[in-house]
């Protein structure tokens, strides 16, 4: 029986992937502007893809019908944004991979999403808090990207920005309502905040690729998004009567392709159809 | 089920419509969230440009059992329809 997907624990799997027959492309040189741009775009697209997939897991399971539809809407917004980001990433790469190929034919180490977005859904409070922590970053990120020196990026950011403006309005409002709600809802929201807090810091830690992209005015430096994020977080948490955790410890690695144990499971459920029936269509 | 959210009636004004039209109902804890839920439930396919929500409990409805006395009398009064005029051809479709 041939393995459907190389296991992340297989010691030579990374090498297998490198040597796998590609599209006859010359890989982008590491550190080149095209490679940096490709990395930056997959980071954006992988965030929206993995979070969109996570949120879609609620479909049919949300506490009430209205929330179920709202969550599915948001998941679809995020998947729609993924198509744009990964579509552009594939164009920049120039190797014949489209958004679908990037979403469904890469393995965990080639995904560059934040660890935050791969956290399990938990209860509704945890899903909501994850969304809020992400939205509070996503909104100013897109705002900054609207001023990108790359027009293609600015265009996508403008379109996505409208959707995300609604996401943050919604998640902030619900965090406040549930934080400042009943004893139980307050406790659940505080537990969610405490559990997710150490996954928020990664959003603001830049690497060499980020620095070069920022220097060229293509994407904002991750560090520059800390202040607007802090402002939103402090304001909303105060109104929600939730306590901002003290710790500044941050789990990191997702942006570089080092993921938590959850990533492989997400990919298995997300990719199995394309893996089992390659090129299957509706 | 006393801890269920109250019911709201939703009215949407479509892209080209002049009037808000009743499209359905939903549950929400308050008016603000009712608007938000209505946006998510009823305008996903670009149906609307304006939303009204009204607590269902605030709507006074005619009783179905009054249907006869209320509506049947108008049934047999064809002269209330303006069908007894000759309309000049130049007027076109009315």
């Amino acid at each position: 029986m041939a393995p459907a997907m190389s296991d992340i624990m297989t010691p030579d799997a990374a090498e297998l992937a490198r040597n796998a027959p590609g599209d006859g492309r010359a890989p982008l040189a590491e550190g080149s502007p095209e490679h940096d741009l490709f990395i930056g775009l997959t980071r954006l697209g992988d965030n929206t893809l993995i979070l969109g997939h996570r949120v879609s897991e609620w479909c049919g399971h949300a506490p009430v019908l209205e929330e179920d539809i709202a969550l599915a809407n948001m998941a679809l917004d995020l998947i729609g944004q993924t198509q744009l980001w990964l579509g552009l990433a594939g164009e920049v790469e120039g190797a014949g991979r489209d958004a679908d190929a990037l979403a469904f034919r890469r393995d965990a180490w080639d995904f560059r999403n934040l660890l935050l977005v791969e956290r399990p859904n938990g209860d509704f409070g945890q899903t909501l808090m994850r969304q809020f922590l992400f939205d509070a970053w996503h909104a100013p990120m897109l705002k900054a990207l609207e001023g990108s020196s790359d027009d293609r990026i600015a265009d996508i950011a403008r379109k996505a920005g409208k959707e995300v403006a609604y996401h943050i309005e919604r998640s902030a409002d619900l965090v406040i309502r549930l934080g400042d709600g009943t004893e139980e809802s307050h406790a659940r929201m505080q537990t969610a905040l405490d559990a997710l807090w150490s996954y928020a810091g990664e959003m603001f830690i830049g690497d060499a690729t980020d620095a070069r992209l920022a220097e060229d005015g293509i994407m904002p430096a991750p560090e520059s998004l800390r202040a607007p994020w802090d402002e939103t977080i402090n304001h909303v948490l105060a109104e929600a009567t939730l306590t901002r955790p003290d710790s500044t410890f941050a789990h990191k690695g997702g942006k570089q392709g080092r993921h938590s144990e959850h990533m492989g499971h997400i990919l298995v459920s997300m990719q199995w159809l394309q893996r089992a029936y390659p090129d299957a269509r509706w | 089920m006393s801890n269920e959210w109250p019911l709201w009636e939703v009215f949407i004004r479509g892209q080209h419509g002049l009037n808000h039209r009743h499209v359905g109902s939903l549950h929400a804890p308050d008016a603000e969230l009712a608007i938000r839920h209505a946006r998510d439930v009823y305008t996903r396919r670009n149906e609307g440009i304006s939303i009204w929500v009204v607590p269902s409990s605030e709507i006074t409805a005619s009783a179905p059992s009054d249907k006869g006395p209320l509506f049947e009398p108008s049934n047999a009064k064809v002269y209330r329809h303006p069908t007894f005029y000759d309309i000049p051809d130049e007027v076109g479709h009315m």
Side-chain angles (χ1 to χ4, degrees):
Chain A
M1 198 176 78
M5 199 167 83
S6 26
D7 188 281
I8 197 158
M9 297 309 288
T10 309
D12 60 350
E15 200 183 338
L16 283 175
R18 256 197 308 280
N19 298 334
D23 305 285
R25 64 182 181 267
L28 297 171
E30 214 151 307
S32 68
E34 293 78 19
H35 188 261
D36 284 342
L37 188 52
F38 178 74
I39 300 285
L41 289 167
T42 50
R43 283 176 178 169
L44 289 166
D46 291 345
N47 277 338
T48 51
L49 174 60
I50 299 303
L51 185 58
H53 181 78
R54 271 291 190 227
V55 175
S56 79
E57 291 172 355
W58 274 101
C59 195
H61 300 278
V64 292
L65 177 140
E66 289 81 357
E67 274 307 324
D68 200 287
I69 297 179
L71 286 168
N73 281 351
M74 198 165 55
L76 284 172
D77 284 350
L78 293 168
I79 302 296
Q81 294 168 21
T82 303
Q83 287 180 319
L84 299 173
W85 292 127
L86 292 187
L88 182 53
E91 230 175 85
V92 166
E93 187 189 40
R97 292 203 286 186
D98 60 7
D100 283 339
L102 289 171
F104 297 119
R105 306 272 175 91
R106 280 180 301 157
D107 209 341
W109 45 71
D110 287 326
F111 276 81
R112 299 182 179 89
N113 55 279
L114 299 161
L115 297 176
L116 174 69
V117 299
E118 66 196 56
R119 299 307 299 159
N121 283 342
D123 60 12
F124 183 68
Q126 210 160 318
T127 291
L128 186 59
M129 186 57 79
R130 182 186 61 200
Q131 190 68 41
F132 171 61
L133 296 175
F134 180 78
D135 291 343
W137 169 85
H138 202 196
M141 176 63 164
L142 290 171
K143 190 96 222 125
L145 288 173
E146 282 183 26
S148 170
S149 58
D150 187 320
D151 288 343
R152 298 168 299 180
I153 291 177
D155 282 349
I156 297 174
R158 254 188 301 278
K159 183 170 187 301
K162 286 196 194 101
E163 294 170 345
V164 172
Y166 183 73
H167 297 176
I168 178 69
E169 198 185 304
R170 184 179 173 279
S171 62
D173 181 61
L174 288 177
V175 164
I176 291 169
R177 282 166 182 271
L178 292 173
D180 189 17
T182 64
E183 208 172 301
E184 182 178 357
S185 72
H186 175 86
R188 282 181 186 246
M189 295 313 285
Q190 186 67 53
T191 303
L193 178 61
D194 295 345
L196 291 168
W197 189 250
S198 56
Y199 293 94
E202 187 185 6
M203 300 191 277
F204 312 106
I205 302 172
D207 61 9
T209 305
D210 289 317
R212 286 191 294 268
L213 287 169
E215 207 171 306
D216 294 340
I218 295 171
M219 292 184 190
E223 297 80 1
S224 69
L225 300 170
R226 169 68 89 168
W229 186 81
D230 270 336
E231 200 185 311
T232 306
I233 295 293
N234 290 342
H235 160 75
V236 170
L237 291 186
E239 222 181 308
T241 69
L242 295 170
T243 310
R244 180 180 164 131
D246 262 338
S247 165
T248 55
F249 171 74
H251 293 284
K252 49 187 187 286
K255 286 172 65 174
Q256 288 78 26
R258 294 190 308 277
H259 293 280
S260 67
E261 69 274 25
H262 303 292
M263 193 63 187
H265 293 272
I266 294 174
L267 295 188
V268 165
S269 65
M270 193 177 82
Q271 296 182 333
W272 80 266
L273 197 139
Q274 277 299 320
R275 298 286 189 183
Y277 307 98
D279 300 321
R281 299 202 161 268
W282 282 119
Chain B
M1 298 277 270
S2 60
N3 61 356
E4 256 204 20
W5 292 336
L7 196 62
W8 300 76
E9 300 301 323
V10 180
F11 300 82
I12 305 271
R13 189 165 93 184
Q15 298 290 346
H16 306 290
L18 296 173
N19 304 323
H20 285 73
R21 295 181 61 135
H22 185 238
V23 293
S25 55
L26 48 73
H27 292 275
D30 61 26
E32 193 192 334
L33 267 181
I35 290 271
R36 201 159 283 180
H37 285 163
R39 180 263 189 197
D40 282 324
V41 176
Y42 291 111
T43 67
R44 309 174 66 222
R45 298 179 185 87
N46 204 21
E47 291 95 336
I49 51 168
S50 168
I51 302 173
W52 288 350
V53 291
V54 179
S56 304
S57 59
E58 293 296 313
I59 289 185
T60 308
S62 61
S65 55
D66 285 346
K67 208 172 80 182
L70 281 179
F71 307 119
E72 263 167 39
S74 65
N75 228 346
K77 299 186 170 60
V78 287
Y79 51 83
R80 287 185 183 166
H81 295 274
T83 51
F84 298 93
Y85 302 96
D86 289 326
I87 296 170
D89 288 342
E90 304 87 76
V91 173
H93 180 71
M94 276 190 80

